[in-house]
Structures are given as structure tokens and as C-alpha cells.
Amino acid sequence: MCIRDSITGVLTNGTSGAPLAETEVELRAFTPDLEQTLTLTTTTDAAGAFRFDVTDTPPDWVYIAGTSFDGLGFSSGADQLSRTQTALDLPITVFDKTTDSSAVSVAQLHVVMEFANDLVQVSQLYIFSNAEEAVYVGPTGNPDEGVIEVGVPEGAQNLMFQRSFGAMDSFLPASDFVPTERGWADPLPLRPGEGALTLLVSYVLPYEDALTISHPVFYNTASGTIILPDSGVSVVGEAWTEGPPQTFGQAETFRNYSRGALAPGDTLTIELSGRPSVIACLLYTSRCV
């Protein structure tokens, strides 16, 4: 006896709120090893609804429905069928494109510093949000020319980019960043939502006993924080306020600083003073003592 399960959903344009009729939808199934094992296609009806019937499939398969809209791919969430759950609802929401960056903001900008010999490694964590019900595709409308832009100080070495769309412990290298006149840009379109993208920008600068790090900011940034080892180096200047030292459950003590909002066109400036008394290996270099 064949067991027939159903996977349904509605395809909706999240920008206009309208359902998308007569649009092709693809259903993919993956094994626990992320091997794609099934592909089915169908077309939405006049109300934007779609339906797939699957028969006698393993209970550990994961299903995702997707479609292409205006040159971009959109997917549903992922879910599984089981003996007790023989029907899945996998709605898909697509969005129009926009070249207006006014709805893009940085919810948080964290800066972490480490010192080794005559170098300082700087890691800047950006959490981006997109408040518009549209996909931001960059100022030119061509994502390949850059979408989300970040500034990097002059003289930065060993520049690395990583991105995450979920947990901050699952970063992946982003070797596809493109140079711009003002910095570097991620070529991936920014989907709507709070915390839609997390970027980690890391670089190394020469350091002796003082340094000023500065670069432009391109989006409204709610706040900034700096964390560095309590080893003789301090952040000076009126923009930054020092808070109580922290240990983060470790034996080492860290100094932390915070500042207020930044607007597009502002310059993020960090003035360091003092020579570090504790030297450690830098994560992305072979320079250590």
C-alpha cells in the first residue's frame, strides 16, 4: 500500500501582498547528508497556491520549496514529513527589488582587538537589517557591482570577509567581495528583516604604542562597542565611553568601550594609546611571541 503525503503552500509577493499565479515552483528533498535526492516542479493556480504529492519517501528527508522571481531565488523554510505529520505547509514569499539604501541599517557594530608583537588584529562584526519589504540589490541595481558596503582603514593587511545568515558561530568565508571607490562590498542581495545579514571583517595593522583607526560608515548605525585585552592599551577620545572590565568567564580581563549612533557619511574613529604588556598569537597570521 502506497502512502501518499502532500506538501502545499502559497506563493506571495511580500512587497505588494499579492499572490503569484501561473508561476513555477520547485520542490527539493535532501538527505541528512544534504544530498539532493528529489526534484519536482509544478505551477501555482490563480490564487498562488501549489501542491506536491509524494509517495513512500523516507522520513528523514528534508523538503524545501522554491521559485525564481525577477532574477532572484526565493525559498520556503525547511521541514520534514513523518508518520504523524503527513502534510506540510511550505509558503514562499518573494520580494521586489530596490536600490534605495535608506532602509538598510546596522543594528550593532562590535569591534574586537588582539595584539601580537608589533601588530593589532581588528575584527569588526556588523549586524545588518533591512526594514523595507523589498530586496536591496545595491545602488546600481546590479548586485555583482556590490550591495552592502563596508569601510576599511588605510593600510589594512590580511583582509578577510566572512558572512552568516543565522547563528554567529556558523560564519563562512566570503571571497566574492568586490572593491568599490569607498571600500569593499558584498555582492549578495539583502533580504528584508531584522538581522538579515551578519558580516565579519578582519584585518591587521602595524602597532607600536599608538594608532588611529578610521574609515567611513555608509548606513545608520545604532551603536558601537570595542573589546580589547586589559594589557596596557586604552581607547582615547570623547566619542568612546569605558565601561566596567569584563572577564567573559575567562581568567583574562577585557576592557570595553561603547559609543552612540553613527549616520551615513560619518567616520568611525578609534584612537589607541599604550603599549601592550601581554602578547599573544594573532588568529589569521603567523606572527606571535
Side-chain angles (χ1 to χ4, degrees), residues 233-269:
V233 179
S234 59
V235 177
V236 298
E238 296 181 356
W240 297 93
T241 301
E242 185 169 9
Q246 296 179 323
T247 59
F248 301 105
Q250 305 175 23
E252 186 176 2
T253 301
F254 295 86
R255 303 179 72 169
N256 70 95
Y257 299 81
S258 61
R259 64 150 299 145
L262 291 159
D266 287 350
T267 298
L268 176 71
T269 301

